[in-house]
Amino acid sequence: MTTAARQATEPAPLPSALVERLLDHAVAGDAPPVAIFAPATGAKIADLPQSSTADIDRAFATAREAQREWAERSVGERTAVLRDLHDIVLTEQRAILDIVQIETGKSRAHAFDEVGDVAVNARYYASIAHRLLADRAARGVLPVLTKVEVRHRPKGVVAVISPWNYPLALAVSDALPALVAGNAVISRPDNQTALTALWAIDAAVRAGLPRGLWQAVLGRGSVIGGEVIGRADYVDYTGSSATGRTIAQQAGARLIGCSLELGGKNPLLVLADADVSRAARIAIRACFASAGQLCESMERVYVHDSVYDRFVAEFVDHVRAIELGADLDYSADMGSLTFPRQLDTVRAHVDDAVAKGATVLAGGRARPDLGPYFYEPTVLADVRPDMTVHREETFGPVVSIYRVGSDEEAIAAANDTAYGLNASVWTKDARRGREVAARINAGSVNVNEGFIAAWGSADAPSGGLGISGTGRRHGPEGLLKYTDTQTIAVQRVLPIAPLPGMSEELWAKTMTAYFTVMKTLRLK
Ligand code: NAD
C-alpha cells in the first residue's frame, strides 16, 4: 500500500522585517522567548517573545482605554473595518497562506479553508451586526404607560484563547463579532501559530481598526491562561474538552461568561440509498482536512451493509491516492501533523488497534522520510470497543469504518459517545437525511457533506453538545454572546402602585381584574 508523497522542501524563513512588524501587535517580551519550528521541515521560524504578568496588565489597560472610545462609534463605522478586512484577506492570501502553512505544516488547500472562513464571517457580521445590535422595543407591563427598550452593551474586553490547528479561522472569526459588538479583544493564540494571529491583527489595523483595540499576549495556556481569564470580561475558548473544564472553572470563579468550543469524535453515516461514489470522494476531505487535526473531522464511519464493500473499495482507493507534502503551493493534498505529541497519539491509537486485531486498510505508518511529523492517512476496519481509537478523539488522520445493518443501528452507534460536535449523513433522500440528522446528538449535522456545509453557513450557529462544549459561534448567537442586554423601562403618567387614597386591597382587586381581562382579550 502506497501513499503518494512529496518531500517537503525547507520553507523560506519568514522575512525578519515581517516578523518584527507582526510582533508589534503582541504585548510580550518580559518573559524569556520560546523558539518556534516549522512542523513540516523542522526549520526554525522565530524566537517568540513571551508575556509576563506586567505585559498582560499593560495589554488589558490599553484595551480598556481603546474599548471606551470604540464603543462610542456607530455600528456602521465598526462594520466598515470588517468589510475592508474581508478584502485584505482575499487579496493578500498568498502571504497569510504561507504563514499558516509554515506554522502548522498543513497543505495549502486546507490553509485556504481558513482564508475562506475569515471572508465568510467578516462579510456575514458586517451585514448583520446593525440589525442584531439595534435597540429593541419590548412590551411594557402596562400597555402605553410602560415604555420598554432592550439595548445591547458590549461586555468590555473579551479574551479569545485559540488553538493551533486552524490558527487563522479560530483566532479571527471569533474576534470579529466581539469587535463589531463594541468590545476590545485580547487574543492568546497558541505559541506555535502566533504569527498567523498577529498577521490578522495587523491586517485589521490596516483595515481601520484602532491600534490597541485588538492585541495579543503570548505564552503557554497553562502559564498565562489563568492570568488572561483573571482580567477578562468574557472568555472565548477553543481546544480540548479537558482544558475546557479548567477554563469553565476559572470563568465560573469570577462569574464571567465563557463560550467553550471543544473536542469531537464525529460520525459519518452512509445510508443504503447514498450516492456511494460521491460519499467516498467527499469523505476524504471530511476525514483528512488538516491531517485530521480538525475538531469537526470524521473519525468514525458507519456504512450500511448493502453498500459497504463498494464504499470501502472507493474510499480506500481515494485515500491511497492522497499526496502528502507541505510545499507552499497547491501540489499536495495533505500535510504534516503539527506537534510530536500528535504523532505520538496517532501512533498509539493505531498501534493499540492493530495489536488488538484491527485491520489496516490504508496507511498505518509515519513518514519521517517526508518530515518529522508526517503520518499517512489511515483507514481501520474491525475496530472494537476495547480499542482506544473506538472512543477517544485521535485528532489525526485516522478513521475507523464499521458495517451496520440499519439506520437504527447507525444512529445508535453514532450517538454512543460523550461528544456531540459534528456529524454527516449520506442519502439521496433529503427528507430521510433530515430525519436521521435530527436524531443524532451533535451541534451540527451535514447531509451529503462532511463539515463545510454547516460550518461555512455563517448565519447558522456552530457548537457542541455534551463534552464538545457550551456556547455557540457563528449566527446571531456568535455575536450576541459578546453583549449584555440592558432593559430600560420608562413609566409614564401613572405609577404601578395604588393611586393616592387607594387601599392595597383595592389595588390588588383592580390588578386581578386587569390580568383577567388581558388574558380574555389574549393580550400579552
Ligand atoms: P489543548 O486543550 O491542550 O490546547 C488548546 C489550547 O489551549 C492551546 O493553545 C493551549 O495552549 C491552550 N491551553 C492549555 N491549557 C490552558 C489553560 N489552562 N488555560 C488557557 N489555555 C490553555 O488542546 P489541543 O490538544 O492542543 O487542541 C486540540 C483540541 O482542540 C481537540 O480536542 C480539538 O477537537 C479541539 N478543537 C475544538 C474546536 C471547536 O471549534 N470545537 C476547534 C479546534 C480544536
Side-chain angles (χ1 to χ4, degrees):
M1 107 200 23
T2 55
T3 296
R6 298 166 53 86
Q7 177 84 45
T9 51
E10 184 97 348
L14 294 169
S16 54
L18 171 67
V19 174
E20 283 303 307
R21 192 183 93 212
L22 299 186
L23 286 175
D24 211 31
H25 299 284
V27 187
D30 272 6
V34 168
I36 303 300
F37 298 89
T41 61
K44 184 164 166 181
I45 304 173
D47 284 313
L48 198 69
Q50 300 287 278
S51 304
S52 65
T53 302
D55 287 328
I56 298 169
D57 269 338
R58 233 177 33 252
F60 271 87
T62 307
R64 287 204 183 282
E65 206 178 309
Q67 191 267 334
R68 279 192 281 277
E69 193 269 328
W70 178 246
E72 296 295 315
R73 294 206 196 175
S74 69
V75 177
E77 282 177 82
R78 293 188 229 142
T79 54
V81 174
L82 267 59
R83 288 183 214 281
D84 283 357
L85 178 64
H86 168 278
D87 296 346
I88 291 175
V89 168
L90 292 185
T91 54
E92 298 183 17
Q93 61 178 274
R94 282 183 65 170
I96 186 56
L97 288 171
D98 283 356
I99 300 174
V100 169
Q101 279 197 277
I102 289 170
E103 288 192 321
T104 62
K106 69 174 71 181
S107 70
R108 202 158 189 87
H110 296 155
F112 180 77
D113 285 347
E114 303 205 48
V115 166
D117 183 73
V118 174
V120 165
N121 278 282
R123 179 163 48 88
Y124 171 66
Y125 283 115
S127 68
I128 200 176
H130 212 277
R131 182 162 70 71
L132 292 179
L133 293 169
D135 296 348
R136 170 174 82 80
R139 288 188 197 91
V141 57
L142 296 179
V144 184
L145 300 184
T146 316
K147 186 175 181 320
V148 181
E149 70 181 9
V150 180
R151 301 166 60 88
H152 294 280
R153 295 159 61 105
K155 293 272 184 189
V157 182
V158 171
V160 175
I161 301 179
S162 52
W164 43 271
N165 61 323
Y166 274 69
L168 183 66
L170 297 175
V172 180
S173 300
D174 287 329
L176 296 186
L179 291 166
V180 90
N183 299 283
V185 170
I186 297 291
S187 286
R188 198 297 326 205
D190 196 279
N191 273 340
Q192 178 63 35
T193 52
L195 295 177
T196 296
L198 292 170
W199 183 91
I201 297 175
D202 187 74
V205 168
R206 288 186 283 126
L209 196 76
R211 257 185 180 273
L213 191 72
W214 184 10
Q215 308 159 78
V217 293
L218 305 179
R220 293 182 57 185
S222 53
V223 177
I224 67 166
E227 305 232 32
V228 172
I229 295 167
R231 290 162 176 77
D233 301 313
Y234 187 86
V235 183
D236 195 281
Y237 171 77
T238 305
S240 66
S241 302
T243 307
R245 287 194 173 92
T246 306
I247 306 285
Q249 281 165 3
Q250 290 172 335
R254 293 199 52 229
L255 293 178
I256 60 169
C258 64
S259 183
L260 304 171
E261 314 286 345
L262 309 176
K265 184 78 185 172
N266 307 305
L268 182 148
L269 281 58
V270 183
L271 308 189
D273 69 341
D275 179 338
V276 170
S277 295
R278 200 164 138 211
R281 188 165 51 83
I282 302 299
I284 294 297
R285 223 180 166 88
C287 296
F288 301 115
S290 281
Q293 298 169 125
L294 164 66
C295 54
E296 305 260 323
S297 76
M298 299 296 149
E299 297 197 0
R300 302 179 288 146
V301 174
Y302 300 99
V303 189
H304 191 270
D305 186 42
S306 60
V307 291
Y308 181 90
D309 292 337
R310 198 150 63 85
F311 175 85
V312 169
E314 291 193 30
F315 182 63
V316 166
D317 274 353
H318 288 308
V319 173
R320 289 189 181 148
I322 289 174
E323 193 160 326
L324 296 179
D327 283 355
L328 304 185
D329 55 31
Y330 284 95
S331 56
D333 301 312
M334 191 185 105
S336 164
L337 293 164
T338 302
F339 289 114
R341 70 167 187 271
Q342 292 307 126
L343 182 62
D344 292 345
T345 306
V346 169
R347 269 204 181 112
H349 282 200
V350 174
D351 292 353
D352 168 77
V354 170
K356 290 174 180 162
T359 307
V360 178
L361 299 180
R365 57 193 179 126
R367 293 295 298 269
D369 52 316
L370 300 175
Y373 316 133
F374 278 89
Y375 197 95
E376 290 184 346
T378 298
V379 184
L380 300 176
D382 306 316
V383 170
R384 291 194 318 265
D386 62 326
M387 300 173 188
T388 311
V389 75
H390 177 77
R391 197 165 291 280
E392 283 186 22
E393 183 186 33
T394 307
F395 212 55
V398 181
V399 58
S400 308
I401 305 203
Y402 303 84
R403 188 190 291 267
V404 289
S406 66
D407 289 1
E408 289 305 314
E409 190 184 340
I411 293 166
N415 286 338
D416 183 21
T417 174
Y419 290 107
L421 192 58
N422 184 36
S424 168
V425 177
W426 289 81
T427 166
K428 284 187 189 138
D429 178 349
R431 203 176 103 184
R432 183 178 176 196
R434 283 201 303 276
E435 282 168 6
V436 170
R439 296 179 58 198
I440 296 180
N441 300 330
S444 306
V445 186
N446 293 265
V447 177
N448 296 332
E449 245 304 336
F451 64 90
I452 209 106
W455 177 269
S457 302
D459 193 29
S462 170
L465 308 183
I467 65 167
S468 290
T470 62
R472 293 291 180 267
R473 59 161 61 100
H474 298 168
E477 294 93 325
L479 185 150
L480 292 175
K481 68 183 178 182
Y482 297 124
T483 66
D484 287 316
T485 51
Q486 182 187 41
T487 297
I488 299 181
V490 178
Q491 188 59 28
R492 299 185 290 194
V493 187
L494 296 174
I496 309 174
L499 297 170
M502 190 182 203
S503 70
E504 289 289 351
E505 190 176 357
L506 181 56
W507 168 251
K509 281 188 178 150
T510 307
M511 291 311 287
T512 302
Y514 164 70
F515 295 143
T516 308
V517 168
M518 291 294 277
K519 183 177 174 234
T520 309
L521 297 179
R522 295 175 185 254
L523 295 172
K524 290 172 185 149

